[in-house]
Amino acid sequence: MNKKMKKLALGMVGLAAVATLAACGNGKSATNQVDKVKKAGVLKVALSPDYPPFEFQIIKDGKNTVVGSDVDLANAIGKKLGVKVKIESMDFNNVLASLNTGKADIAISGISKEPSREKSVNFSDVYYTASNYLVVKKSDLSKYRSVDDFKGKKVAAQKGSTQEGIVTSQFKGATEIALPQIGDEINEVKGGQVQGAVIENLIAKSYVAANSDLAIANVDVKTPKDSYGSAVALPKGSDELTKVVNSVIKEELKNGQINKDIQKNYTLSENNK
C-alpha cells in the first residue's frame, strides 16, 4: 500500500472511530433523558386508548379525553418529574415504535414485558399482571366449551399483543386474525366475521358489560408461563428515566394506588357506556 493509500485508509478508520464515539454519545444522551424531558417541560406518553380500564376515551367538558389507570400512572410520573403530560394516541402496534422515532418518551399501554422486546426498549418493573378471557357471541355460548371447539374457526387478537401468541399456541387448528384495535375485535365478533376474541380479563369484562349480545366463554385460556406482566416501556438506554419510573411504580404498588386507580377507572368505564 503506498503512502497516499495508507493515509486514506487511516482517515477512513478515524471517521469510523468518530462515528462509533458519536453512537456511544447518543447512547449516553439517552440515559440522560430525564434532563431532556425536564428541559422540554413535557412527558410524551404513547398509548392505544382502547383498553378500558387502563386507557380509554370519554367525553369530558364536551371534549374527547383519554383517561384510565395507565394515564393516572403517567400523570404520577409527570408529577415526579415536575412536567406536564402529553398523551400520544395510536394503534397498539405503533406504540413501541414511537419510542425509537422520538414521538414518545415513554409508552404505557398494557405492554407485556417480553424478553424479545427488551432488545429494543428499556422496561420498568412490572406494575400489573392479568389473565385472559375469550369473548364470543352470547348466542354461541353453548357451542364453545374448549379451545378444540375452535378448530376451523377464526379467533381475533390485537396486533402486536401477547394475545396473538396465545391464539397461535393454544387454539390449534383455528385461524388467528390480527386486528389493530380491541374495538375492531369486538365488532368482528358481533358481526360474525370471527368466532371469538382473546382479550385481557378486565378489558374483556368491560366490553361484555357494554354489549348485551356478547359473553365470556367458559373456555380455559391459559396464562402463558412467559407472561411477564405489564410494564412501562422507554427508549433503549434511558436508564435514568427508568429509575424515576420505577420509583413511582414502587411507591404506588406499596400504597395500593395502582389497584385503586384500576378499580376507579373500571367503574368509570362501566358508567361511560
Side-chain angles (χ1 to χ4, degrees):
M1 184 184 291
N2 62 35
K3 248 183 193 180
K4 189 172 181 182
M5 289 296 290
K6 190 176 283 188
K7 266 187 167 181
L8 181 60
L10 287 171
M12 290 178 73
V13 170
L15 285 173
V18 170
T20 301
L21 287 171
C24 293
N26 287 339
K28 187 175 180 181
S29 66
T31 64
N32 293 325
Q33 194 149 350
V34 170
D35 295 334
K36 176 186 170 186
V37 170
K38 285 185 175 181
K39 186 176 180 180
V42 176
L43 179 71
K44 295 178 290 184
V45 181
L47 54 75
S48 178
D50 61 341
Y51 243 59
F54 299 97
E55 41 266 324
F56 58 104
Q57 301 179 68
I58 64 171
I59 301 299
K60 184 177 180 181
D61 300 327
K63 294 182 179 179
N64 194 34
T65 306
V66 177
V67 297
S69 57
D70 279 352
V71 177
D72 292 335
L73 178 56
N75 286 332
I77 295 167
K79 184 177 180 180
K80 182 80 172 181
L81 291 165
V83 299
K84 294 179 181 179
V85 170
K86 183 182 179 184
I87 300 299
E88 301 284 356
S89 297
M90 61 192 72
D91 287 347
F92 183 79
N93 198 43
N94 297 322
V95 168
L96 290 179
S98 71
L99 298 173
N100 296 322
T101 61
K103 188 170 184 179
D105 301 305
I106 64 174
I108 310 182
S109 199
I111 302 168
S112 180
K113 189 176 180 178
E114 297 176 12
S116 60
R117 290 171 171 167
E118 290 186 278
K119 295 174 183 176
S120 56
V121 301
N122 271 25
F123 269 121
S124 72
D125 296 334
V126 169
Y127 63 86
Y128 179 76
T129 303
S131 56
N132 293 276
Y133 289 156
L134 180 70
V135 176
V136 299
K137 274 186 176 183
K138 186 180 283 186
S139 58
D140 291 340
L141 199 55
S142 61
K143 293 181 183 179
Y144 305 119
R145 298 294 182 184
S146 75
V147 292
D148 291 336
D149 294 330
F150 285 87
K151 286 180 180 177
K153 308 293 184 183
K154 295 178 181 178
V155 182
Q158 188 171 35
K159 190 174 183 180
S161 71
T162 301
Q163 287 71 31
E164 271 198 287
I166 290 175
V167 175
T168 55
S169 64
Q170 296 184 35
F171 290 75
K172 301 297 184 183
T175 300
E176 189 258 330
I177 304 297
L179 298 168
Q181 301 280 346
I182 298 293
D184 297 333
E185 295 178 57
I186 294 299
N187 289 334
E188 294 279 284
V189 173
K190 288 167 71 74
Q193 287 91 348
V194 301
Q195 285 65 57
V198 175
I199 302 172
E200 198 172 288
N201 57 349
L202 279 178
I203 298 153
K205 285 170 65 177
S206 181
Y207 276 105
V208 167
N211 295 272
S212 59
D213 55 339
L214 297 179
I216 293 169
N218 187 26
V219 172
D220 182 23
V221 179
K222 293 180 174 62
T223 300
K225 290 179 180 179
D226 59 354
S227 178
Y228 296 93
S230 298
V232 178
L234 307 94
K236 193 67 178 175
S238 53
D239 298 335
E240 294 304 316
L241 186 55
T242 303
K243 287 178 185 177
V244 173
V245 171
N246 280 339
S247 70
V248 174
I249 289 173
K250 183 178 180 180
E251 180 63 26
E252 294 215 338
L253 285 175
K254 184 178 179 180
N255 63 25
Q257 189 62 49
I258 287 177
N259 283 333
K260 289 176 187 175
D261 287 340
I262 289 172
Q263 292 305 317
K264 175 193 73 176
N265 284 285
Y266 181 77
T267 301
L268 176 61
S269 67
E270 293 303 286
N271 294 334
N272 192 53
K273 305 304 185 197

